[in-house]
Amino acid sequence: MALDRWVAFVILCAALAYGYAAFFTMDASLPPFMKRNPIWPSTFPKVLCVMAVITSLFILLGFEKAAETGKKPDIDYRRLGDYHLVHALLLIGLMVAYALCLRPLGFLFSTFAFLAIGAFVLGERKFHILIPVAALASGTVWYLVDQVLGIFLRPWPMFF
């Protein structure tokens, strides 16, 4: 089986587990007054689960390759060393570090560092553009979430 189908199978398994949680366990603890609402806290996870299952089944069953006959696969799993795996693994590690640093270092610094280092890993070397864009993006997102939506995000590190 090709690598894209293996990835689709893993995503299908994760989506089914996520869907089980969304459809059967999330709504059990709702208070009675929320059970009459048209949109529940589990509505978006349910939609996301259905879309992920449909998409992964589409790839797993090979419908996207019906028009392509006689072509070799896009990703050759026997030549994974030829791809930029280091960049992908660095980005995954950076995402984990971002999630772990979000509370102790604050939203603004963590998001700025994530955007700047992530862009550097992806190959951006124009620091005179990269630094202001990362600062503006993290500040804008914080302002929209904290001030406009009213969801508190700790902007500064815990020791401030």
Side-chain angles (χ1 to χ4, degrees):
M1 188 175 350
L3 182 63
D4 57 345
R5 290 190 179 177
W6 278 109
V7 171
F9 178 71
V10 170
I11 291 173
L12 176 66
C13 292
L16 289 175
Y18 186 67
Y20 177 79
F23 279 96
F24 297 110
T25 63
M26 288 180 77
D27 298 333
S29 62
L30 280 177
F33 71 90
M34 286 189 72
K35 291 187 177 182
R36 293 192 177 141
N37 289 345
I39 296 178
W40 292 1
S42 65
T43 302
F44 181 70
K46 288 175 183 176
V47 170
L48 191 63
C49 162
V50 169
M51 289 180 1
V53 166
I54 290 171
T55 304
S56 59
L57 281 175
F58 190 78
I59 294 170
L60 194 61
L61 297 175
F63 290 128
E64 88 283 0
K65 298 203 182 221
E68 304 174 11
T69 54
K71 290 178 108 178
K72 65 180 198 171
D74 295 333
I75 299 175
D76 188 5
Y77 66 90
R78 288 166 276 177
R79 298 183 330 124
L80 283 179
D82 295 344
Y83 302 111
H84 297 285
L85 287 180
V86 174
H87 297 281
L89 293 176
L90 277 173
L91 283 174
I92 291 172
L94 190 61
M95 287 183 232
V96 171
Y98 173 70
L100 293 175
C101 292
L102 199 54
R103 282 187 184 223
L105 296 179
F107 180 81
L108 290 175
F109 178 75
S110 298
T111 305
F112 171 76
F114 173 73
L115 291 174
I117 297 170
F120 181 78
V121 166
L122 290 174
E124 181 59 50
R125 299 295 186 259
K126 296 178 183 175
F127 293 111
H128 64 282
I129 296 173
L130 173 67
I131 300 299
V133 167
L136 183 68
S138 59
T140 303
V141 169
W142 174 80
Y143 176 76
L144 289 174
V145 171
D146 192 68
Q147 302 298 320
V148 176
L149 293 177
I151 302 170
F152 176 71
L153 286 175
R154 178 179 294 136
W156 306 115
M158 288 174 58
F159 52 84
F160 279 168

